[in-house]
Amino acid sequence: MKGEDDVNTARKDEEADGSGEKLLGFYSTEEQPSGPGGQDGMWRNEKYETLPLDVKGTDEDNSKGTKDLLYPQAALRKAQQGNERPKDPKLWPYFQDGLRRIDYVLTYHVQKPQSTRKQSAKSFLFCKFRHEQSSPPAHEDPELAAQKQRLDYHEDDQRLRREEFEENLREMGLEMEREEGNKIPGVGFLKIHAPWEVLCREAEFMKLKMPTFKKYKVSQGSSIVEKVNMFMQKVTATLQPKVGENRTENEKHLSYPFSREKQHLFDLSDRNSFFDSKTRSSIVYEILKRTKCTRAKYNMGISSLLGSGVYTEAYPLHDGDIDGINAEANDRKILCEEWASYSIFYKYQPIGLIRKYFGEKVGLYFAWLGVYTQMLIPAAIVGVIVFLYGCVTVEDNIPSMEVCDERNNITMCPMCDRACSYWKLVTACGTARASHLFDNAATVFFAIFMALWATMFMEHWKRRQMRLNYIWDLTSFEDAESQPRAEYEFHVMKKSLKKEKSPMEENVKLTCRDRMPAYMTIIIMMFFLIFLTLAIVFGVVLYRVSIMTALHMSSTPTFRTNIRATVKTTAAIINLIIIIIMDEVYGAIARWLTIMEVPKTDKSFEERLIFKTFILKFANAFTPIVYLALFRGRLIGRPGKYIYVMGSYRMEECAHAGCLMELCIQLCITMLGKQLIQNNLFEIGVPKLKKMLRQRKIDKKHQEELNKTLHRHEKDHFLGPFVGLNPEYMEMIIQFGMVTLFVASFPLAPLFALLNNIIEIRLDAKKFVTELRRPIAVRAKDIGIWYTLLRGISKVAVIVNAFVISFTSDFIPRLVYQYMYSPDGTLHGFVNHTLSYFNVSHFQPGTEPMESMHLGYKVEVCRYKDYRDPPWSDTPYEFSRQFWAILAARLAFIIVFQNVVMLMSDFVDWLIPDIPKDISIQIHKERNLIVELFMKQEQGKKYRNTIGDPSPQPLRSRPSSQA
């Protein structure tokens, strides 16, 4: 009783102090008291009840929580025994003592002042009785009073769940410090620290590879390769960031999975830096995921506690500040200066330091983005050369010269019914000349080059990825089966309750039959959304047709000029706006469908979400482009017998020079618009807007003063939450599709992608370092499903480019005419060869032009682009021999192009090994060195046993979480 009185006295003094801060220290397992207030008390046997707890149970719980407020003197003494200087908790992520590092932070809502919260549980025990026995005061609404009672119970319920969860964390060996309502009203912080013993235990069970004291020399290959590497290092010295991780070292630590029995193998001279901050936070996160809270109808892990509002946020902390006078050197500050800056866009990325600070998964993303950006340099150079070739040869292009020659005097048929009149071919001169810039003899070469480029990029990335795996000690890493998700466990629990069986007695799991309703919903929704995308594209087509007709009917000369350019540009902008809006909608629907599917693990959830999102966003971005490339102008009919949709809307046709120019405009606006608006503007504007909204809770007058006094965990609270790498990968995958799928129509796409990615790398870097909370470090040895999607796009790109060259451009018709129909083997007469004749008297009634004398003379025969027999032949308006010859040539080109390019790609894939030779040699050398190291240790152990050394202590059992 004396101890309890002292505790209560200390607690009252602390409350009277007005600081609002609690220090929740945790004993080790050996130091914890037992009995009603200790770990052997009510927490282990108590079950959650929906009814209020009795008075006795609440008192015991409160007394126990009061004991938890005692500062862990044993832990403090142990920390003070070292030579470490205390850190300033305002600048560094440390407890108030400045000795124990904050490895993780949990936040929660604080609805009431701390002085009144301890009375809320007791007051609620009698609230129902008082409500039934006595009427509320005259000035108080009974409904409001009942609502307040429910809120009090909800707050107490969440508090009890937090206390149980924190008690279980205590049993796992973690130390904690609580802070409520100091500077940020309504927010409580639970700061978590993992002691050395916990770190060693979890590192052993997680099989973390740590560097041993053994070093070995890293071979650079042959002497020639070594000299070349040294020369390249000198040449690129100015491009290297000034961080230690990028220095080429000739020695490397031999790594081995950490073991407490083999601690003598590791360099433990500095225990504070042996486990870096990234590793410490990932270890604590694994404990949080494994620890359960049973004060509910089912087990609740940290994800369930976050979802139910028991905790509001969970995140690790950044190392320190990046600006200001007091900002000391740390990894975050180095990354901000040497990576997250637009002024050093020309430098390489410090991939090693990125991995050290953010983990392997984030490091692999930026390494992949860097390789992709570097590979875009040769593609952009070749694309610019192809474009310049078109600019240089436009004056010598015979077909465009014939179109621009007024002496030909070719009268073309109307582009629409009634409102449109006849027009001269010479008016399409500008479009014909512009089309040659993208549709010339170099187009085929560039399409072949880009197909081989995609293969080279994939092979280069595989080798780069393998090299990083070796440097990061991930060569033997295998993804372990992760724990089931909280939603999956909840559905399993409901299934077991329906069967009246305990999930602990029988291995209950969700089967395909259980998921069948979700599968059917997903299939129906996916087809519906794809159909919706097609309907949107069709709506834009109707917009183009109706606007073109309206502009032709306008009496204003300004509207009648440049009708085609106006319609193309406005339609492309409308498409872009729809794509941006529908991208957000499709992303939300894909997540909803994946949640409905109830995947078992986080990895399965992520892969299924990525696949659904990719299908929907890919269809959303590329359906308008595919329509322009392969379908527009194919199903229009002919003059006198056009194909109509929606009653009176005539299907739109391509310009005389083909649809390639319109496809180029659509690609250019979509690509630039998505990169500038959706990627860059949203990534800059939205996080800043969210940060401003979070800071609105604080008075602006005191905001500057408050920022100077905020601690590290409070500053990180105002940063944006990390939502994963999927949005970053997705925008790059869509861009990769823009670069490879329709590159035959837009050779400048690699250049625009390169310029965007140079900005994107620094933009993402600045966002990760300054705008977002630090993500959980996740180990990964590859980029996962994204590589499969990239490989699939590169294969489809060969087929798509073959169809674009064959059917969208005039490459095949020009080739057939030059070698089969040209009298002199040149392209003279090609334009006349592609135009068919139509007798205007064969117009259907009501479709002939209203202004038949618009050109100053009566038109009897007009021309249209097609290969059909003339009206005076035996088979008028039927497809001619030239049509079938060109169709056969187009199909033959597709088959030959596809097989030749894929054969060349497979040959390049076979020729380049996935694992660099020097890396395979080093991996084999590491295995031999590990065997040699253990043989020496065994010999040393035998020698120690012969002289009477005691045997090593047995491995302690792993503490289990409360279930």
Side-chain angles (χ1 to χ4, degrees):
M1 295 298 296
K2 182 178 179 181
E4 293 184 0
D5 293 337
D6 294 338
V7 168
N8 292 330
T9 303
R11 187 176 184 180
K12 291 178 181 178
D13 294 338
E14 189 177 9
E15 291 172 358
D17 195 17
S19 61
E21 182 176 290
K22 295 182 180 180
L23 300 179
L24 186 59
F26 287 88
Y27 298 94
S28 64
T29 307
E30 294 81 0
E31 295 171 342
Q32 277 188 330
S34 60
Q39 72 175 19
D40 297 331
M42 58 174 287
W43 286 101
R44 182 159 297 180
N45 299 321
E46 186 180 32
K47 296 182 180 179
Y48 173 74
E49 298 176 355
T50 55
L51 296 176
L53 300 174
D54 56 11
V55 178
K56 182 179 180 180
T58 308
D59 287 337
E60 289 176 358
D61 191 53
N62 281 339
S63 66
K64 178 173 181 157
T66 306
K67 286 187 177 182
D68 290 343
L69 296 176
L70 291 175
Y71 200 84
Q73 300 297 331
L76 260 183
R77 288 193 300 269
K78 187 175 181 180
Q80 292 172 349
Q81 287 175 359
N83 297 324
E84 182 185 4
R85 293 181 58 188
K87 299 282 187 178
D88 186 355
K90 295 181 182 179
L91 304 178
W92 298 88
Y94 279 80
F95 279 10
Q96 291 293 335
D97 54 23
L99 297 175
R100 292 173 294 168
R101 183 183 180 89
I102 301 174
D103 299 318
Y104 216 86
V105 170
L106 302 178
T107 67
Y108 53 92
H109 286 300
V110 179
Q111 299 291 344
K112 292 185 176 182
Q114 184 177 342
S115 59
T116 60
R117 284 187 60 83
K118 63 179 182 179
Q119 303 295 333
S120 60
K122 287 186 177 182
S123 62
F124 177 74
L125 298 175
F126 307 100
C127 63
K128 184 177 181 181
F129 177 77
R130 290 198 306 266
H131 178 68
E132 292 177 352
Q133 299 296 328
S134 62
S135 60
H139 63 274
E140 185 176 4
D141 190 350
E143 293 185 0
L144 292 177
Q147 185 178 5
K148 290 180 180 179
Q149 294 168 4
R150 288 194 297 270
L151 288 176
D152 287 342
Y153 175 68
H154 181 65
E155 294 170 17
D156 288 329
D157 178 56
Q158 289 189 343
R159 179 177 60 82
L160 292 175
R161 292 189 186 186
R162 283 197 298 271
E163 290 178 354
E164 184 200 355
F165 184 71
E166 293 160 12
E167 173 69 15
N168 294 337
L169 293 180
R170 177 197 309 191
E171 293 183 0
M172 296 297 291
L174 297 179
E175 299 175 1
M176 281 165 270
E177 186 177 74
R178 191 191 305 277
E179 184 175 324
E180 291 184 355
N182 253 6
K183 304 179 185 67
I184 306 176
V187 179
F189 295 92
L190 182 69
K191 298 172 281 187
I192 303 175
H193 167 75
W196 171 257
E197 294 78 8
V198 175
L199 294 174
C200 293
R201 183 191 72 212
E202 296 299 322
E204 180 175 353
F205 287 108
M206 292 171 63
K207 299 180 180 180
L208 296 180
K209 287 185 100 176
M210 305 300 294
T212 64
F213 62 84
K214 174 70 175 179
K215 290 185 178 181
Y216 68 95
K217 186 176 181 181
V218 178
S219 175
Q220 301 293 333
S222 62
S223 59
I224 299 177
V225 175
E226 188 173 356
K227 291 180 180 179
V228 171
N229 290 336
M230 292 179 62
F231 174 76
M232 293 301 298
Q233 290 173 15
K234 293 180 180 179
V235 172
T236 61
T238 57
L239 304 180
Q240 298 291 345
K242 297 178 182 179
V243 294
E245 277 69 16
N246 278 348
R247 297 173 185 170
T248 303
E249 299 180 357
N250 295 326
E251 288 186 337
K252 183 179 184 293
H253 279 279
L254 184 65
S255 296
Y256 186 75
F258 185 81
S259 172
R260 288 176 289 178
E261 286 187 342
K262 299 181 176 61
Q263 291 190 23
H264 55 278
L265 297 178
F266 305 93
D267 184 10
L268 302 180
S269 58
D270 186 5
R271 291 189 173 186
N272 293 325
S273 62
F274 184 74
F275 295 106
D276 56 15
S277 59
K278 173 255 301 181
T279 306
R280 297 175 66 98
S281 62
S282 62
I283 288 176
V284 175
Y285 179 65
E286 288 296 323
I287 298 176
L288 291 175
K289 287 198 305 182
R290 193 172 65 243
T291 306
K292 302 294 182 182
C293 173
T294 59
R295 189 176 287 273
K297 295 181 180 179
Y298 62 96
N299 290 342
M300 299 180 69
I302 184 61
S303 58
S304 298
L305 294 174
L306 289 169
S308 59
V310 178
Y311 293 102
T312 55
E313 302 287 350
Y315 52 90
L317 298 183
H318 284 289
D319 278 354
D321 289 330
I322 56 177
D323 51 11
I325 301 176
N326 297 323
E328 299 184 22
N330 57 76
D331 288 342
R332 186 189 183 197
K333 185 176 178 62
I334 296 174
L335 285 173
C336 184
E337 295 172 351
E338 297 296 329
W339 181 46
S341 175
Y342 295 105
S343 60
I344 55 173
F345 68 92
Y346 57 92
K347 287 189 176 183
Y348 293 115
Q349 299 182 87
I351 298 298
L353 187 58
I354 296 171
R355 174 255 180 178
K356 177 187 175 185
Y357 192 78
F358 292 109
E360 286 79 5
K361 194 169 185 179
V362 176
L364 281 174
Y365 164 71
F366 283 103
W368 173 84
L369 183 57
V371 171
Y372 173 47
T373 305
Q374 290 177 4
M375 290 295 293
L376 281 172
I377 296 175
I381 293 174
V382 177
V384 171
I385 293 174
V386 171
F387 178 74
L388 293 177
Y389 172 82
C391 295
V392 171
T393 59
V394 67
E395 298 296 338
D396 301 328
N397 183 39
I398 296 176
S400 60
M401 291 170 60
E402 291 182 347
V403 172
C404 297
D405 192 354
E406 297 182 359
R407 294 174 297 177
N408 290 331
N409 196 27
I410 299 176
T411 303
M412 303 296 293
C413 296
M415 300 293 293
C416 62
D417 294 340
R418 299 293 290 170
C420 302
S421 182
Y422 304 103
W423 56 285
K424 289 289 187 179
L425 181 61
V426 71
T427 58
C429 176
T431 306
R433 291 171 64 89
S435 296
H436 178 73
L437 302 179
F438 306 98
D439 185 11
N440 50 63
T443 301
V444 181
F445 162 75
F446 190 56
I448 297 174
F449 171 81
M450 288 303 296
L452 298 178
W453 172 87
T455 304
M456 291 289 294
F457 163 60
M458 305 300 292
E459 292 302 313
H460 181 37
W461 166 243
K462 283 195 295 185
R463 291 170 62 86
R464 172 65 171 161
Q465 184 175 262
M466 194 63 205
R467 189 175 295 277
L468 291 176
N469 285 339
Y470 163 71
I471 297 173
W472 297 346
D473 297 316
L474 295 172
T475 51
S476 59
F477 171 73
E478 296 293 338
D479 287 330
E481 184 67 21
S482 57
Q483 293 182 343
R485 300 175 64 248
E487 291 81 2
Y488 180 85
E489 290 184 338
F490 175 68
H491 283 78
V492 169
M493 178 70 70
K494 290 200 301 184
K495 180 180 179 180
S496 62
L497 291 176
K498 289 181 181 179
K499 293 184 177 182
E500 297 181 354
K501 294 180 180 180
S502 174
M504 301 298 294
E505 298 176 0
E506 186 178 352
N507 187 18
V508 182
K509 61 181 181 180
L510 297 183
T511 61
C512 292
R513 186 175 180 180
D514 299 324
R515 293 191 175 100
M516 189 56 64
Y519 287 154
M520 295 302 299
T521 305
I522 291 170
I523 293 173
I524 295 172
M525 282 296 298
M526 292 293 286
F527 276 106
F528 170 75
L529 294 176
I530 293 176
F531 177 79
L532 177 63
T533 303
L534 297 175
I536 292 173
V537 173
F538 182 70
V540 176
V541 171
L542 294 182
Y543 162 81
R544 280 198 292 259
V545 173
S546 58
I547 291 297
M548 181 172 289
T549 304
L551 292 177
H552 276 290
M553 295 177 64
S554 175
S555 59
T556 306
T558 307
F559 293 157
R560 296 177 66 102
T561 57
N562 299 324
I563 293 177
R564 279 187 171 277
T566 303
V567 173
K568 292 175 189 176
T569 306
T570 55
I573 294 174
I574 291 174
N575 258 325
L576 172 64
I577 296 174
I578 293 175
I579 287 172
I580 292 175
I581 295 174
M582 296 308 295
D583 264 358
E584 302 300 322
V585 175
Y586 288 160
I589 293 177
R591 177 169 289 276
W592 171 66
L593 293 176
T594 309
I595 293 174
M596 183 187 300
E597 195 176 354
V598 195
K600 183 176 181 180
T601 62
D602 290 331
K603 182 179 179 181
S604 176
F605 179 89
E606 185 179 20
E607 289 181 349
R608 298 182 186 209
L609 174 63
I610 289 172
F611 183 74
K612 295 183 185 69
T613 308
F614 171 76
I615 293 295
L616 294 176
K617 291 192 174 183
F618 190 84
N620 183 41
F622 287 98
T623 301
I625 301 172
V626 170
Y627 165 76
L628 286 174
L630 303 177
F631 294 100
R632 182 175 177 179
R634 310 284 172 231
L635 305 173
I636 60 173
R638 60 170 179 82
K641 196 177 181 180
Y642 284 112
I643 297 176
Y644 294 89
V645 293
M646 303 290 291
S648 59
Y649 289 101
R650 202 174 94 186
M651 291 297 292
E652 56 184 347
E653 54 186 295
C654 296
H656 172 76
C659 289
L660 204 65
M661 189 63 194
E662 298 182 21
L663 176 61
C664 177
I665 294 175
Q666 179 70 49
L667 266 171
C668 183
I669 292 179
T670 302
M671 188 173 182
L672 293 179
K674 280 180 67 65
Q675 292 178 168
L676 294 176
I677 299 175
Q678 189 174 21
N679 298 348
N680 297 338
L681 185 61
F682 284 4
E683 288 186 13
I684 295 174
V686 173
K688 289 188 178 295
L689 181 61
K690 290 181 178 180
K691 186 176 181 180
M692 290 173 58
L693 292 176
R694 286 192 296 269
Q695 291 181 339
R696 283 183 62 187
K697 299 178 181 179
I698 303 177
D699 189 3
K700 293 183 179 180
K701 297 180 180 179
H702 306 287
Q703 187 169 348
E704 294 183 359
E705 298 179 1
L706 190 59
N707 288 335
K708 298 178 182 179
T709 60
L710 286 178
H711 291 189
R712 179 77 268 149
H713 60 279
E714 295 167 329
K715 293 178 180 178
D716 285 10
H717 176 72
F718 291 110
L719 299 178
F722 176 71
V723 296
L725 291 170
N726 291 347
E728 313 295 338
Y729 271 115
M730 188 63 67
E731 65 184 62
M732 289 295 108
I733 293 294
I734 298 296
Q735 184 200 85
F736 182 79
M738 297 279 185
V739 169
T740 56
L741 286 175
F742 298 94
V743 72
S745 61
F746 191 35
L748 294 179
L751 176 63
F752 290 153
L754 173 63
L755 298 177
N756 172 80
N757 288 4
I758 291 174
I759 302 174
E760 181 74 19
I761 290 176
R762 306 302 165 178
L763 177 64
D764 286 347
K766 197 171 186 65
K767 181 174 66 175
F768 272 74
V769 175
T770 63
E771 300 292 337
L772 297 180
R773 294 171 188 160
R774 189 173 182 177
I776 293 295
V778 179
R779 287 188 295 172
K781 63 186 304 182
D782 52 39
I783 59 176
I785 192 176
W786 298 109
Y787 181 82
T788 306
L789 296 177
L790 284 169
R791 197 166 185 83
I793 290 176
S794 63
K795 296 296 183 182
V796 174
V798 177
I799 303 174
V800 171
N801 281 299
F803 273 92
V804 170
I805 295 172
S806 296
F807 287 95
T808 309
S809 74
D810 282 339
F811 175 75
I812 299 299
R814 289 196 300 262
L815 207 63
V816 172
Y817 174 79
Q818 188 173 357
Y819 291 100
M820 290 183 63
Y821 300 103
S822 175
D824 53 359
T826 63
L827 289 178
H828 289 287
F830 172 73
V831 173
N832 186 67
H833 178 76
T834 59
L835 299 176
S836 299
Y837 294 88
F838 178 73
N839 192 338
V840 298
S841 61
H842 295 165
F843 272 121
Q844 293 181 358
T847 62
E848 65 276 1
M850 293 185 295
E851 299 180 9
S852 58
M853 299 295 292
H854 174 71
L855 299 177
Y857 57 89
K858 185 177 182 181
V859 178
E860 296 181 354
V861 175
C862 63
R863 310 291 294 275
Y864 61 99
K865 188 175 182 180
D866 206 345
Y867 293 95
R868 293 180 182 269
D869 292 331
W872 54 80
S873 65
D874 297 335
T875 55
Y877 307 124
E878 296 292 332
F879 289 118
S880 62
R881 294 179 181 178
Q882 291 86 347
F883 172 83
W884 299 110
I886 292 173
L887 180 61
R890 282 172 168 167
L891 296 177
F893 175 82
I894 291 174
I895 295 173
V896 173
F897 181 88
Q898 173 185 340
N899 286 279
V900 169
V901 173
M902 285 191 173
L903 182 63
M904 295 172 65
S905 300
D906 292 339
F907 177 74
V908 172
D909 190 358
W910 170 82
L911 187 64
I912 302 175
D914 295 343
I915 304 177
K917 186 177 180 180
D918 61 322
I919 296 300
S920 61
I921 293 175
Q922 296 298 332
I923 293 174
H924 183 70
K925 183 178 180 179
E926 272 197 0
R927 293 173 182 171
N928 294 335
L929 288 174
I930 290 176
V931 174
E932 180 182 346
L933 179 63
F934 273 91
M935 291 299 295
K936 289 182 179 179
Q937 293 298 325
E938 287 295 324
Q939 292 176 0
K941 184 184 296 184
K942 290 180 180 179
Y943 175 74
R944 289 192 301 269
N945 290 336
T946 56
I947 62 175
D949 278 359
S951 59
Q953 295 296 324
L955 185 67
R956 291 181 294 173
S957 61
R958 181 184 187 179
S960 59
S961 61
Q962 201 167 3

